Amino acid sequence: MPRGNGFGPPWWHGRFRGCGYRVTVPRQAILDVLSRTSKHLSAEDVYITVHKIYPNVGLTTVYRTLELLVEMGLVFRFDFGDNRARYELAMGPKGIMHHHHLVCTNCGRVVDYTDFIDEEKELLSRTEEGLAKKYHFTISNHLIQFYGLCDKCEGKK
Amino acid sequence: MPRGNGFGPPWWHGRFRGCGYRVTVPRQAILDVLSRTSKHLSAEDVYITVHKIYPNVGLTTVYRTLELLVEMGLVFRFDFGDNRARYELAMGPKGIMHHHHLVCTNCGRVVDYTDFIDEEKELLSRTEEGLAKKYHFTISNHLIQFYGLCDKCEGKK
DNA sequence: CCTCTTATTGAAAACGATTTCCACTATCAA
DNA sequence: TTGATAGTGGAAATCGTTTTCAATAAGAGG
């Protein structure tokens, strides 16, 4: 089982134990898969990848673990309109760059972008504060996505 | 069949005919239902409402019609995390106020907000332009949602 | 290192929203 | 009015996800 950078157990061990969750082989394997890709994996994608190394890890466990990780805030779940949830690690030890998505409504291609994030962040935090006060919400997260046609699909439609 | 304000056929007749689509009873009924509510209806919600007046309109047709309307840009499809698509009229004759959503991750309550929309619009159009140029996308739409706990759910978690 | 509690697991079955199939119907251009 | 065909409805199929339940293994305590 991969052990991160080799300096002690992976950083998320504490997060698990602190919540009373056990650190298991499937959980480590799934987190490992997510941490080694920048793609937007579906549950099945994760299952297939994990399955290559640990053939006895079941799809059910993948679903359960992903749900757990989302609930813990370690993973984000996205919907790109293709009727299957996509998962992405929220942050690693060094933190993954905050980004949003640009989705082609024709072919489903998804582009991560980090442009304008700083300006967005400023406006979003201001909006968040205003909304929280007005609607009495404790806001913990936000989602921004742009939709359109990518260059390859532009002409075809 | 409702005829809008009584001054000629509903404004969307032209949109249909212009695309070579026929104006049918189910389509009119579904658009009518969507235009009379500000709620976020699921396909089944629409079906139930339409069914009361036109019992012979089937669920299949509701799904097909909603898909068509989304493709035509008359309706928006949203995902609030409860595993069922939600639909909302994009705009009526007088135009529905542009808004975004605030979603409670515990009870699923959805609040529409129109605050900060002007500031958002400015940043978004700038972002849109930049992204379009950099990634060669023809952007047609965007999605912004905030997630958190509503006041009723705040204490319970 | 062993033992016990119970969180976690895997396989199969269930679930539920959405889609497909296909024969029948209704729109609307001619 | 009529004909070509887009549109329809009901049943069955699809498929991502969840539930069930007996078996397994993490890790606290001895």
Side-chain angles (χ1 to χ4, degrees):
Chain A
M1 183 57 50
R3 288 279 160 179
N5 53 18
F7 298 98
W11 62 275
W12 38 264
H13 271 216
R15 288 289 290 272
F16 272 76
R17 306 300 305 117
C19 297
Y21 298 131
R22 293 178 180 171
V23 177
T24 67
V25 170
R27 287 175 181 173
Q28 294 180 81
I30 290 164
L31 269 168
D32 189 54
V33 166
L34 289 174
S35 70
R36 288 173 189 278
T37 187
S38 61
K39 290 182 190 147
H40 318 98
L41 302 180
S42 66
E44 198 184 353
D45 292 334
V46 173
Y47 170 70
I48 290 170
T49 310
V50 168
H51 201 258
K52 284 177 190 161
I53 310 174
Y54 302 94
N56 50 338
V57 171
L59 180 56
T60 306
T61 296
V62 172
Y63 274 106
R64 270 190 299 235
T65 301
L66 288 171
E67 185 187 6
L68 182 73
L69 295 174
V70 169
E71 196 199 307
M72 291 174 71
L74 296 180
V75 164
F76 291 136
R77 187 206 316 259
F78 294 100
D79 165 46
F80 296 140
D82 62 346
N83 296 327
R84 46 176 54 195
R86 302 281 173 168
Y87 300 87
E88 223 175 290
L89 204 59
M91 51 173 76
K94 38 189 181 313
I96 286 175
M97 179 87 82
H98 187 61
H99 64 271
H100 294 306
H101 302 288
L102 188 51
V103 183
C104 176
T105 51
N106 186 235
C107 69
R109 189 156 70 98
V110 177
V111 172
D112 295 7
Y113 73 87
T114 55
D115 316 79
F116 311 98
I117 290 292
D118 287 339
E119 296 164 76
E120 271 182 21
K121 205 176 278 178
E122 199 274 320
L123 174 60
L124 285 174
S125 67
R126 207 145 36 82
T127 305
E128 217 169 282
E129 197 180 339
L131 292 176
K133 192 167 291 179
K134 181 163 178 181
Y135 299 104
H136 308 290
F137 261 68
T138 307
I139 297 173
S140 55
N141 202 3
H142 66 254
L143 171 70
I144 296 187
Q145 285 178 189
F146 283 91
Y147 298 94
L149 294 173
C150 69
D151 47 2
K152 285 171 190 164
C153 292
E154 175 57 27
K156 297 177 189 171
K157 269 279 164 172
Chain B
M1 182 58 48
R3 286 280 160 178
N5 53 18
F7 298 99
W11 63 275
W12 37 264
H13 270 215
R15 289 289 292 271
F16 273 76
R17 306 301 305 117
C19 296
Y21 298 132
R22 294 179 181 173
V23 178
T24 67
V25 169
R27 287 177 181 173
Q28 293 181 80
I30 289 164
L31 269 169
D32 189 55
V33 166
L34 289 173
S35 69
R36 289 173 189 278
T37 188
S38 61
K39 290 181 189 148
H40 317 99
L41 303 181
S42 66
E44 199 185 354
D45 293 335
V46 172
Y47 170 69
I48 290 170
T49 310
V50 167
H51 201 258
K52 284 176 190 160
I53 310 175
Y54 302 94
N56 49 339
V57 171
L59 180 57
T60 304
T61 296
V62 172
Y63 273 106
R64 270 189 298 231
T65 301
L66 288 171
E67 186 187 5
L68 181 72
L69 295 174
V70 168
E71 196 199 306
M72 290 174 71
L74 296 180
V75 165
F76 291 137
R77 186 208 314 259
F78 294 99
D79 165 45
F80 297 139
D82 61 347
N83 295 327
R84 45 176 53 193
R86 303 280 172 168
Y87 300 87
E88 224 175 290
L89 204 59
M91 51 174 72
K94 40 191 182 308
I96 286 176
M97 179 88 83
H98 186 61
H99 64 269
H100 295 307
H101 301 288
L102 189 51
V103 183
C104 176
T105 51
N106 186 235
C107 69
R109 188 155 70 97
V110 177
V111 172
D112 295 6
Y113 73 87
T114 56
D115 316 79
F116 313 98
I117 291 291
D118 288 339
E119 295 165 77
E120 272 181 21
K121 206 176 278 179
E122 199 272 321
L123 174 59
L124 286 174
S125 67
R126 207 146 34 85
T127 305
E128 218 169 281
E129 195 181 339
L131 292 176
K133 190 167 292 179
K134 180 163 179 181
Y135 298 105
H136 308 290
F137 262 68
T138 308
I139 297 174
S140 55
N141 200 6
H142 64 254
L143 170 71
I144 297 187
Q145 287 179 190
F146 284 91
Y147 299 94
L149 293 173
C150 69
D151 46 3
K152 286 171 189 164
C153 292
E154 175 58 27
K156 297 177 190 170
K157 270 279 165 170

